[in-house]
Amino acid sequence: APITAFLFSDLSCQECRVLERNTLFSWQSLVAEGLVRLVLADSSSSAQGLAAAAALNCLADQEQLSQDEYWKVRREFLDNGGAPVEGLRLCADPEFSNIVDVRRQQAFRHGIRTLPGLMIGKTGGSEYLRIGGAKDFSEYQKLMDQLLR
């Protein structure tokens, strides 16, 4: 994919959940077309958001979910306000809580001061555009179009 986008989000943050619900299909389409590599960098300062992010990352790492199932479960987490989805076997590995905490620190180090936050750049490049707060997907699309010129 010619573009990499890092989405720093918190599953317990209302604005983050709204942004993801409103843009998830658009991101998935660009990923499926091979235009964007999307890195969901879950970050949280709340216990609920940390637990949700750690569980999702753990399930994905253990390949308990296919990519389609991952998106479906993530969507359910978003719709449930970051609360665990009924019937889902959650991971309890503390390693994943540490990973989420590291991502929070990385976001801050890269100048992301508000969540949701986005960094978009050319894959393999060192320059990234940073955007804080929830925006309409068309704004992200304009930045990606500029990068592809």
mmCIF file of all heavy atoms in Angstrom, residues 41-70:
data_model
loop_
_atom_site.group_PDB
_atom_site.id
_atom_site.type_symbol
_atom_site.label_atom_id
_atom_site.label_comp_id
_atom_site.label_asym_id
_atom_site.label_seq_id
_atom_site.Cartn_x
_atom_site.Cartn_y
_atom_site.Cartn_z
ATOM 1 N N ALA A 41 -3.937 1.920 16.293
ATOM 2 C CA ALA A 41 -3.070 2.050 17.465
ATOM 3 C C ALA A 41 -3.941 2.420 18.661
ATOM 4 O O ALA A 41 -4.058 3.580 19.038
ATOM 5 C CB ALA A 41 -1.998 3.109 17.215
ATOM 6 N N ASP A 42 -4.593 1.409 19.219
ATOM 7 C CA ASP A 42 -5.471 1.651 20.359
ATOM 8 C C ASP A 42 -4.670 2.197 21.525
ATOM 9 O O ASP A 42 -3.603 1.700 21.862
ATOM 10 C CB ASP A 42 -6.175 0.355 20.768
ATOM 11 C CG ASP A 42 -7.138 -0.123 19.707
ATOM 12 O OD1 ASP A 42 -7.901 0.721 19.203
ATOM 13 O OD2 ASP A 42 -7.122 -1.314 19.384
ATOM 14 N N SER A 43 -5.222 3.212 22.113
ATOM 15 C CA SER A 43 -4.553 3.919 23.196
ATOM 16 C C SER A 43 -5.624 4.295 24.203
ATOM 17 O O SER A 43 -6.716 4.697 23.814
ATOM 18 C CB SER A 43 -3.893 5.176 22.615
ATOM 19 O OG SER A 43 -3.366 5.973 23.620
ATOM 20 N N SER A 44 -5.353 4.156 25.481
ATOM 21 C CA SER A 44 -6.378 4.496 26.463
ATOM 22 C C SER A 44 -5.765 4.878 27.796
ATOM 23 O O SER A 44 -4.722 4.369 28.184
ATOM 24 C CB SER A 44 -7.331 3.317 26.673
ATOM 25 O OG SER A 44 -8.360 3.697 27.551
ATOM 26 N N SER A 45 -6.441 5.787 28.469
ATOM 27 C CA SER A 45 -6.030 6.135 29.832
ATOM 28 C C SER A 45 -7.070 5.637 30.831
ATOM 29 O O SER A 45 -6.893 5.770 32.030
ATOM 30 C CB SER A 45 -5.842 7.648 29.965
ATOM 31 O OG SER A 45 -7.017 8.313 29.570
ATOM 32 N N SER A 46 -8.165 5.026 30.322
ATOM 33 C CA SER A 46 -9.197 4.497 31.220
ATOM 34 C C SER A 46 -9.063 2.979 31.319
ATOM 35 O O SER A 46 -8.612 2.324 30.379
ATOM 36 C CB SER A 46 -10.594 4.851 30.707
ATOM 37 O OG SER A 46 -10.938 4.044 29.612
ATOM 38 N N ALA A 47 -9.481 2.436 32.436
ATOM 39 C CA ALA A 47 -9.398 0.986 32.643
ATOM 40 C C ALA A 47 -10.273 0.248 31.630
ATOM 41 O O ALA A 47 -9.868 -0.779 31.075
ATOM 42 C CB ALA A 47 -9.817 0.635 34.063
ATOM 43 N N GLN A 48 -11.477 0.772 31.345
ATOM 44 C CA GLN A 48 -12.387 0.121 30.399
ATOM 45 C C GLN A 48 -11.804 0.120 28.988
ATOM 46 O O GLN A 48 -11.816 -0.891 28.302
ATOM 47 C CB GLN A 48 -13.738 0.824 30.404
ATOM 48 C CG GLN A 48 -14.734 0.184 29.459
ATOM 49 C CD GLN A 48 -16.062 0.910 29.424
ATOM 50 O OE1 GLN A 48 -16.226 1.956 30.032
ATOM 51 N NE2 GLN A 48 -17.016 0.365 28.704
ATOM 52 N N GLY A 49 -11.269 1.264 28.558
ATOM 53 C CA GLY A 49 -10.682 1.349 27.224
ATOM 54 C C GLY A 49 -9.454 0.468 27.095
ATOM 55 O O GLY A 49 -9.235 -0.171 26.070
ATOM 56 N N LEU A 50 -8.650 0.435 28.141
ATOM 57 C CA LEU A 50 -7.445 -0.395 28.151
ATOM 58 C C LEU A 50 -7.814 -1.871 28.042
ATOM 59 O O LEU A 50 -7.226 -2.610 27.255
ATOM 60 C CB LEU A 50 -6.640 -0.130 29.426
ATOM 61 C CG LEU A 50 -5.323 -0.873 29.569
ATOM 62 C CD1 LEU A 50 -4.352 -0.466 28.476
ATOM 63 C CD2 LEU A 50 -4.710 -0.602 30.943
ATOM 64 N N ALA A 51 -8.817 -2.305 28.808
ATOM 65 C CA ALA A 51 -9.235 -3.708 28.770
ATOM 66 C C ALA A 51 -9.777 -4.089 27.399
ATOM 67 O O ALA A 51 -9.454 -5.151 26.870
ATOM 68 C CB ALA A 51 -10.287 -3.964 29.852
ATOM 69 N N ALA A 52 -10.595 -3.213 26.808
ATOM 70 C CA ALA A 52 -11.163 -3.499 25.484
ATOM 71 C C ALA A 52 -10.069 -3.582 24.431
ATOM 72 O O ALA A 52 -10.040 -4.503 23.615
ATOM 73 C CB ALA A 52 -12.186 -2.429 25.112
ATOM 74 N N ALA A 53 -9.157 -2.610 24.439
ATOM 75 C CA ALA A 53 -8.074 -2.594 23.453
ATOM 76 C C ALA A 53 -7.159 -3.795 23.628
ATOM 77 O O ALA A 53 -6.752 -4.428 22.655
ATOM 78 C CB ALA A 53 -7.285 -1.296 23.573
ATOM 79 N N ALA A 54 -6.834 -4.117 24.873
ATOM 80 C CA ALA A 54 -5.954 -5.266 25.133
ATOM 81 C C ALA A 54 -6.609 -6.559 24.658
ATOM 82 O O ALA A 54 -5.957 -7.398 24.036
ATOM 83 C CB ALA A 54 -5.623 -5.347 26.623
ATOM 84 N N ALA A 55 -7.908 -6.719 24.902
ATOM 85 C CA ALA A 55 -8.614 -7.936 24.481
ATOM 86 C C ALA A 55 -8.623 -8.064 22.965
ATOM 87 O O ALA A 55 -8.331 -9.130 22.422
ATOM 88 C CB ALA A 55 -10.035 -7.924 25.027
ATOM 89 N N LEU A 56 -8.930 -6.978 22.267
ATOM 90 C CA LEU A 56 -8.949 -7.029 20.802
ATOM 91 C C LEU A 56 -7.566 -7.327 20.230
ATOM 92 O O LEU A 56 -7.432 -8.134 19.313
ATOM 93 C CB LEU A 56 -9.456 -5.704 20.235
ATOM 94 C CG LEU A 56 -10.967 -5.585 20.110
ATOM 95 C CD1 LEU A 56 -11.355 -4.178 19.700
ATOM 96 C CD2 LEU A 56 -11.508 -6.586 19.122
ATOM 97 N N ASN A 57 -6.554 -6.675 20.765
ATOM 98 C CA ASN A 57 -5.194 -6.916 20.281
ATOM 99 C C ASN A 57 -4.754 -8.340 20.561
ATOM 100 O O ASN A 57 -4.091 -8.965 19.737
ATOM 101 C CB ASN A 57 -4.222 -5.909 20.903
ATOM 102 C CG ASN A 57 -4.307 -4.564 20.236
ATOM 103 O OD1 ASN A 57 -3.684 -4.334 19.216
ATOM 104 N ND2 ASN A 57 -5.099 -3.657 20.800
ATOM 105 N N CYS A 58 -5.125 -8.861 21.702
ATOM 106 C CA CYS A 58 -4.771 -10.221 22.069
ATOM 107 C C CYS A 58 -5.441 -11.227 21.135
ATOM 108 O O CYS A 58 -4.798 -12.142 20.628
ATOM 109 C CB CYS A 58 -5.183 -10.473 23.522
ATOM 110 S SG CYS A 58 -4.761 -12.106 24.145
ATOM 111 N N LEU A 59 -6.726 -11.033 20.887
ATOM 112 C CA LEU A 59 -7.451 -11.940 19.994
ATOM 113 C C LEU A 59 -6.865 -11.915 18.590
ATOM 114 O O LEU A 59 -6.720 -12.955 17.955
ATOM 115 C CB LEU A 59 -8.929 -11.561 19.957
ATOM 116 C CG LEU A 59 -9.713 -11.865 21.239
ATOM 117 C CD1 LEU A 59 -11.062 -11.186 21.190
ATOM 118 C CD2 LEU A 59 -9.844 -13.350 21.440
ATOM 119 N N ALA A 60 -6.537 -10.737 18.112
ATOM 120 C CA ALA A 60 -5.954 -10.620 16.774
ATOM 121 C C ALA A 60 -4.585 -11.291 16.734
ATOM 122 O O ALA A 60 -4.258 -11.997 15.782
ATOM 123 C CB ALA A 60 -5.848 -9.151 16.374
ATOM 124 N N ASP A 61 -3.783 -11.069 17.780
ATOM 125 C CA ASP A 61 -2.444 -11.652 17.822
ATOM 126 C C ASP A 61 -2.500 -13.175 17.840
ATOM 127 O O ASP A 61 -1.688 -13.842 17.218
ATOM 128 C CB ASP A 61 -1.690 -11.138 19.050
ATOM 129 C CG ASP A 61 -0.273 -11.664 19.110
ATOM 130 O OD1 ASP A 61 0.555 -11.210 18.303
ATOM 131 O OD2 ASP A 61 0.000 -12.552 19.949
ATOM 132 N N GLN A 62 -3.452 -13.710 18.564
ATOM 133 C CA GLN A 62 -3.570 -15.165 18.668
ATOM 134 C C GLN A 62 -4.320 -15.763 17.481
ATOM 135 O O GLN A 62 -4.566 -16.958 17.440
ATOM 136 C CB GLN A 62 -4.286 -15.540 19.965
ATOM 137 C CG GLN A 62 -3.482 -15.214 21.191
ATOM 138 C CD GLN A 62 -4.218 -15.600 22.459
ATOM 139 O OE1 GLN A 62 -5.330 -16.116 22.432
ATOM 140 N NE2 GLN A 62 -3.587 -15.359 23.586
ATOM 141 N N GLU A 63 -4.690 -14.890 16.541
ATOM 142 C CA GLU A 63 -5.394 -15.308 15.331
ATOM 143 C C GLU A 63 -6.651 -16.106 15.651
ATOM 144 O O GLU A 63 -7.016 -17.046 14.944
ATOM 145 C CB GLU A 63 -4.460 -16.069 14.396
ATOM 146 C CG GLU A 63 -3.321 -15.191 13.919
ATOM 147 C CD GLU A 63 -2.348 -15.895 13.005
ATOM 148 O OE1 GLU A 63 -2.570 -17.078 12.684
ATOM 149 O OE2 GLU A 63 -1.368 -15.251 12.622
ATOM 150 N N GLN A 64 -7.306 -15.729 16.764
ATOM 151 C CA GLN A 64 -8.585 -16.345 17.093
ATOM 152 C C GLN A 64 -9.684 -15.784 16.191
ATOM 153 O O GLN A 64 -10.755 -16.335 16.113
ATOM 154 C CB GLN A 64 -8.946 -16.080 18.561
ATOM 155 C CG GLN A 64 -8.033 -16.784 19.540
ATOM 156 C CD GLN A 64 -8.474 -16.558 20.970
ATOM 157 O OE1 GLN A 64 -9.650 -16.451 21.253
ATOM 158 N NE2 GLN A 64 -7.524 -16.488 21.874
ATOM 159 N N LEU A 65 -9.375 -14.665 15.537
ATOM 160 C CA LEU A 65 -10.355 -14.011 14.669
ATOM 161 C C LEU A 65 -9.757 -13.829 13.276
ATOM 162 O O LEU A 65 -8.608 -13.441 13.149
ATOM 163 C CB LEU A 65 -10.708 -12.620 15.213
ATOM 164 C CG LEU A 65 -11.271 -12.521 16.622
ATOM 165 C CD1 LEU A 65 -11.388 -11.059 17.027
ATOM 166 C CD2 LEU A 65 -12.614 -13.201 16.694
ATOM 167 N N SER A 66 -10.566 -14.086 12.252
ATOM 168 C CA SER A 66 -10.142 -13.734 10.902
ATOM 169 C C SER A 66 -10.211 -12.214 10.794
ATOM 170 O O SER A 66 -10.758 -11.538 11.669
ATOM 171 C CB SER A 66 -11.075 -14.371 9.870
ATOM 172 O OG SER A 66 -12.355 -13.743 9.932
ATOM 173 N N GLN A 67 -9.702 -11.647 9.707
ATOM 174 C CA GLN A 67 -9.750 -10.198 9.557
ATOM 175 C C GLN A 67 -11.189 -9.695 9.555
ATOM 176 O O GLN A 67 -11.515 -8.703 10.195
ATOM 177 C CB GLN A 67 -9.024 -9.760 8.283
ATOM 178 C CG GLN A 67 -8.887 -8.259 8.196
ATOM 179 C CD GLN A 67 -7.923 -7.827 7.127
ATOM 180 O OE1 GLN A 67 -7.211 -8.623 6.554
ATOM 181 N NE2 GLN A 67 -7.897 -6.544 6.860
ATOM 182 N N ASP A 68 -12.079 -10.399 8.847
ATOM 183 C CA ASP A 68 -13.490 -9.998 8.828
ATOM 184 C C ASP A 68 -14.107 -10.090 10.214
ATOM 185 O O ASP A 68 -14.880 -9.220 10.621
ATOM 186 C CB ASP A 68 -14.285 -10.853 7.841
ATOM 187 C CG ASP A 68 -13.971 -10.513 6.391
ATOM 188 O OD1 ASP A 68 -13.459 -9.399 6.132
ATOM 189 O OD2 ASP A 68 -14.240 -11.359 5.526
ATOM 190 N N GLU A 69 -13.779 -11.172 10.938
ATOM 191 C CA GLU A 69 -14.313 -11.323 12.297
ATOM 192 C C GLU A 69 -13.768 -10.238 13.217
ATOM 193 O O GLU A 69 -14.494 -9.718 14.066
ATOM 194 C CB GLU A 69 -13.944 -12.697 12.866
ATOM 195 C CG GLU A 69 -14.663 -13.843 12.211
ATOM 196 C CD GLU A 69 -14.102 -15.189 12.613
ATOM 197 O OE1 GLU A 69 -12.875 -15.298 12.851
ATOM 198 O OE2 GLU A 69 -14.884 -16.140 12.695
ATOM 199 N N TYR A 70 -12.487 -9.877 13.045
ATOM 200 C CA TYR A 70 -11.895 -8.815 13.864
ATOM 201 C C TYR A 70 -12.680 -7.512 13.694
ATOM 202 O O TYR A 70 -13.040 -6.860 14.658
ATOM 203 C CB TYR A 70 -10.424 -8.588 13.494
ATOM 204 C CG TYR A 70 -9.837 -7.382 14.188
ATOM 205 C CD1 TYR A 70 -9.339 -7.490 15.483
ATOM 206 C CD2 TYR A 70 -9.815 -6.139 13.571
ATOM 207 C CE1 TYR A 70 -8.830 -6.383 16.134
ATOM 208 C CE2 TYR A 70 -9.305 -5.028 14.220
ATOM 209 C CZ TYR A 70 -8.802 -5.157 15.506
ATOM 210 O OH TYR A 70 -8.322 -4.054 16.151
#
